[in-house]
Amino acid sequence: MSEKIFNSTVIAQLTYSYYLIGRLEIYFRTQIPFTLSSYSVQKGYFKWHETLLLNTYGELTLEKARRNVNGLLRNELEVANYLPFGFWRYLLSNRQYGGLWLPQLYTLFPNLENPKSLSSFKRVNKHLDSALRLRNNVAHYNLKSLDTAEFSQERVQWILEMTGTQYLARPS
């Protein structure tokens, strides 16, 4: 690949995109388990992830995160650190509106107007689709996607604003 492709503008776009996704992922990684912990206790469970309704891929992903390289169970406080962005995205997807969003996960977005409403949920969901696409495009160096990177970055910024998470402005 030509060095001209990786000019300062491309590097700045990739870096800022990755930064925004990182801020969002860290927020989810810390806040979703915390939020679901109290919900799990209300439902009679001890671990934050025991109330989750996951598909087969989600179950395998969670099980992989729960075990270290030797196959031993990790400390429950560490499990979230080993779950990928897509896992968190799934917990905030359409399938989870009634099961997780309404009882608990809407609280992750304190700046969202009418957070329990379906329209607010759909807006978050749509913006998270852009965030996941941006994450995948950056992670796989899909340089053609940089044409729409600013649009996706704005979507991620909006999500961060709805969560109350601080972030740095796009470099000029």
Side-chain angles (χ1 to χ4, degrees):
M1 190 175 276
S2 171
E3 288 300 315
K4 291 180 183 178
I5 292 175
F6 285 99
N7 62 42
S8 60
T9 304
V10 169
I11 292 169
Q13 281 285 44
L14 290 171
T15 302
Y16 189 63
S17 296
Y18 205 71
Y19 162 75
L20 289 174
I21 293 299
R23 294 291 294 155
L24 186 58
E25 185 169 353
I26 289 168
Y27 179 78
F28 289 158
R29 186 186 321 152
T30 57
Q31 295 306 304
I32 289 176
F34 178 76
T35 301
L36 291 180
S37 290
S38 60
Y39 182 61
S40 293
V41 170
Q42 290 172 12
K43 295 290 186 179
Y45 297 102
F46 296 104
K47 298 174 185 166
W48 68 268
H49 50 79
E50 290 180 312
T51 59
L52 302 178
L53 297 174
L54 300 172
N55 59 19
T56 304
Y57 179 75
E59 298 251 349
L60 290 171
T61 302
L62 179 60
E63 188 55 31
K64 184 178 176 184
R66 293 186 67 222
R67 297 191 178 276
N68 68 20
V69 292
N70 298 321
L72 301 173
L73 286 175
R74 293 186 201 284
N75 176 312
E76 282 301 314
L77 298 174
E78 296 178 314
V79 172
N81 294 330
Y82 295 91
L83 290 166
F85 187 79
F87 183 86
W88 307 117
R89 170 64 187 107
Y90 179 78
L91 297 184
L92 294 160
S93 69
N94 284 333
R95 294 184 184 112
Q96 307 294 346
Y97 177 69
L100 291 176
W101 179 268
L102 286 177
Q104 256 349 95
L105 293 185
Y106 74 92
T107 63
L108 296 171
F109 302 88
N111 296 334
L112 184 63
E113 190 173 326
N114 301 317
K116 284 188 162 186
S117 74
L118 183 58
S119 62
S120 292
F121 169 77
K122 284 183 176 183
R123 189 167 183 202
V124 169
N125 188 44
K126 191 173 182 180
H127 282 60
L128 284 170
D129 280 343
S130 291
L132 183 61
R133 233 178 347 271
L134 179 65
R135 183 255 170 237
N136 290 341
N137 286 331
V138 169
H140 300 289
Y141 288 97
N142 182 355
L143 300 181
K144 288 184 179 184
S145 73
L146 292 179
D147 295 342
T148 60
E150 282 190 36
F151 172 81
S152 297
Q153 290 168 355
E154 289 170 3
R155 295 265 174 126
V156 175
Q157 288 170 333
W158 180 86
I159 297 168
L160 290 169
E161 289 166 7
M162 293 304 106
T163 66
T165 301
Q166 299 288 321
Y167 62 90
L168 297 174
R170 180 184 293 116
S172 18

